Amino acid sequence: MSDRRREPGKFDLVISGGGMVGAALGCGLAEQGFSVALIELHPPQTEWPADEVDLRVSALTRFSQRLLQELGVWERMTEMRVSPYREMRVWDEAGRGTIHFDAADIGEPDLGHIVENRVTRLALWERLGQLDGVELIFPDAVEKMELLGDQRRLVLSSGRQFDTGLLVVAEGANSPIREMAAISSSGWAYDQHAIVATVWPEQHHGEVARQRFMATGPLALLPIDDGRCSIVWSTSPAEAERLMALDDASFCQALTQASQRVLGGITRVGPRAVFPLRLRHADHYVLPGLALVGDAAHGIHPLAGQGVNLGFLDAAELMEVLVAARKAGRPLGSMATLRRYERARKGANMAMLGAMDLFKRLFSNHNRPLALIRNLGLDLADAAGPLKRLAIRRAMGLGAGTRY
Ligand SMILES: Cc1cc2nc3c(=O)[nH]c(=O)nc-3n(C[C@H](O)[C@H](O)[C@H](O)COP(=O)(O)OP(=O)(O)OC[C@H]3O[C@@H](n4cnc5c(N)ncnc54)[C@H](O)[C@@H]3O)c2cc1C
């Protein structure tokens, strides 16, 4: 099973999609001696101006940090840039309800880090390039897939062909293989789009992540280590269209107002991009010889910054399950193996998706009695010491039942 004696072109498993989740899984499995082919349409960006912050950032939890440390890439990520946030403030537009989380309350140095997606991805790809038993195949994609006994035959756009006992699908939200495999998904489009951009506030953020809930959607101001903020502004599609059409000065003015000058005025904004938001959950994560991970399996509202963190939890679980299967002599792609992964992750992801959906509905609402309950809830939660500490630890991905 180890790479050193494998036939050329034969792999223990194939991963389609080398985003953050697929690349992390590839690193972890190669570290464990599995031979891995990773197929990717778009290899990562390798260079960018030092002062440029990518539009796409993620709030990485402690769990994700520990996984990335274990994979040997965290140090490289810190060389590029990771921005810690030590506190988080959440408040509601209607009323005075507010909640404040502080890493010091639970004896941690920070609550997590804001990291550009391209930083995480590049560090993982560099590591993949150093590991034995990994073949990076790009730009390429699976064009045809056939089930032949316990093998899946894959034909790539380049004409290459593989037979594999396990295909892991990490192609993100619009996964073509999920469609090819006829795995249906449940969910719906949120009536919200998210605008992302890097902004320059007048005041330093003080390493505090801030989120204001408005009836139209939440506005997050995420701290970048040089004093800038990365914003995720979720709002109605019509309002997003209007905001995207504004010139920079008018956009800054609108953002200054929406943020209630919490960091003074917003003086400058970089390029902006907009993402339609939807909740989606695959009805199955596994089929014989196939497993979905990350956004290919689930899509969640970004309000709690959990998307890729759930994907890393999937990757960690699948690694454990595959290592155990190898030890027990069970085929990696058998349903007996893969159902263990599905059982461990599907319910946990569903619970997070449901909680975030409820949150979104509770806060994106003009109803006055509901606003009163929300504000009371925020204040009560803020005052509930031990419960609040538990909530902080769970949000950091600690105590999630894995070894990280
Ligand atoms: C506005 C916004 C803010 C967010 N903020 C956060 C946050 O703060 N914290 C957080 O945890 N999450 C956040 N997320 C979610 C996070 O970005 C996703 O959960 C994460 O990118 C999913 O990673 P992935 O590797 O599963 O998929 P992706 O990042 O989508 O990667 C999929 C990869 O597969 C490749 N691919 C696609 N199709 C094929 C194919 N046919 N063949 C080969 N390769 C293919 C793609 O090129 C890509 O590299 C946010 C999302 C949005 C929209």
Side-chain angles (χ1 to χ4, degrees):
M1 195 164 274
S2 127
D3 173 56
R4 286 148 202 96
R5 279 170 291 122
R6 73 181 163 81
E7 287 171 46
K10 275 258 178 205
F11 299 92
D12 294 328
L13 71 146
V14 174
I15 301 174
S16 180
M20 294 183 280
V21 175
L25 181 69
C27 279
L29 290 172
E31 294 266 14
Q32 298 284 340
F34 290 91
S35 58
V36 179
L38 188 145
I39 305 164
E40 167 60 52
L41 269 176
H42 307 290
Q45 194 180 347
T46 52
E47 284 179 3
W48 51 85
D51 63 345
E52 183 193 276
V53 177
D54 192 21
L55 284 177
R56 297 297 309 271
V57 305
S58 296
L60 298 185
T61 60
R62 181 73 78 248
F63 168 84
S64 297
Q65 177 186 349
R66 288 185 183 160
L67 175 70
L68 293 160
Q69 278 166 336
E70 191 145 313
L71 297 176
V73 298
W74 184 255
E75 209 179 305
R76 174 73 180 116
M77 289 167 61
T78 59
E79 280 167 24
M80 289 188 265
R81 173 172 36 232
V82 304
S83 306
Y85 59 101
R86 302 182 199 284
E87 293 173 50
M88 181 180 276
R89 289 183 186 277
V90 177
W91 74 105
D92 189 9
E93 101 174 312
R96 299 163 66 91
T98 173
I99 188 161
H100 172 227
F101 301 102
D102 191 333
D105 288 347
I106 53 159
E108 289 282 335
D110 53 65
L111 293 172
H113 292 80
I114 308 299
V115 187
E116 291 154 77
N117 292 359
R118 67 182 176 192
V119 163
T120 308
R121 195 166 173 238
L122 178 59
L124 287 164
W125 271 65
E126 286 176 354
R127 184 80 191 114
L128 283 167
Q130 297 160 354
L131 288 164
D132 279 346
V134 176
E135 184 173 344
L136 295 169
I137 302 168
F138 62 87
D140 217 334
V142 175
E143 210 166 79
K144 263 204 279 178
M145 181 174 68
E146 232 183 313
L147 190 60
L148 302 168
D150 63 354
Q151 297 285 300
R152 286 193 176 259
R153 175 157 298 170
L154 309 178
V155 182
L156 309 192
S157 314
S158 60
R160 277 184 78 169
Q161 187 171 307
F162 300 107
D163 288 344
T164 180
L166 176 60
L167 170 64
V168 181
V169 183
E171 297 173 341
N174 302 315
S175 164
I177 294 181
R178 191 186 58 223
E179 302 301 314
M180 269 183 229
I183 300 180
S184 54
S185 297
S186 310
W188 48 83
Y190 285 121
D191 50 347
Q192 288 180 356
H193 286 185
I195 297 176
V196 295
T198 307
V199 301
W200 283 251
E202 259 170 358
Q203 293 165 20
H204 197 276
H205 47 61
E207 297 184 329
V208 180
R210 295 174 170 83
Q211 183 144 246
R212 180 184 183 216
F213 281 98
M214 296 179 276
T216 42
L219 164 65
L221 295 151
L222 308 172
I224 303 297
D225 66 351
D226 62 2
R228 283 181 273 183
C229 285
S230 181
I231 62 157
V232 183
W233 188 351
S234 307
T235 186
S236 67
E239 178 64 358
E241 196 180 335
R242 186 188 76 79
L243 290 168
M244 288 299 285
L246 293 178
D247 61 31
D248 283 359
S250 311
F251 184 84
C252 286
Q253 215 175 352
L255 182 56
T256 300
Q257 207 177 351
S259 63
Q260 297 185 302
R261 304 190 69 86
V262 68
L263 294 173
I266 303 296
T267 58
R268 216 177 123 193
V269 59
R272 292 166 246 163
V274 64
F275 296 89
L277 301 177
R278 60 176 298 122
L279 180 142
R280 197 181 20 73
H281 200 206
D283 295 329
H284 308 282
Y285 282 17
V286 301
L287 289 176
L290 186 144
L292 304 180
V293 292
D295 272 25
H298 42 76
I300 186 171
H301 196 290
L303 70 87
Q306 285 295 332
V308 76
N309 295 297
L310 296 182
F312 285 142
L313 280 158
D314 295 346
E317 186 66 41
L318 188 55
M319 280 181 232
E320 288 199 13
V321 162
L322 296 180
V323 169
R326 180 175 60 181
K327 220 178 198 172
R330 266 196 318 271
L332 302 184
S334 71
M335 288 305 271
T337 299
L338 297 179
R339 280 220 176 90
R340 287 178 160 79
Y341 158 68
E342 183 178 61
R343 264 200 306 273
R345 293 303 307 147
K346 197 165 172 230
N349 288 335
M350 178 96 100
M352 182 61 85
L353 260 62
M356 289 311 115
D357 190 53
L358 190 70
F359 231 69
K360 187 252 161 200
R361 285 165 191 275
L362 187 63
F363 280 90
S364 302
N365 199 305
H366 289 282
N367 184 304
R368 274 196 66 75
L370 211 54
L372 281 173
I373 295 170
R374 260 187 344 238
N375 278 279
L376 186 65
L378 282 175
D379 285 341
L380 282 175
D382 197 46
L387 268 182
K388 192 168 111 177
R389 286 194 287 278
L390 187 69
I392 301 177
R393 294 185 61 79
R394 290 313 294 251
M396 291 171 78
L398 299 174
T402 66
R403 67 202 161 93
Y404 294 94

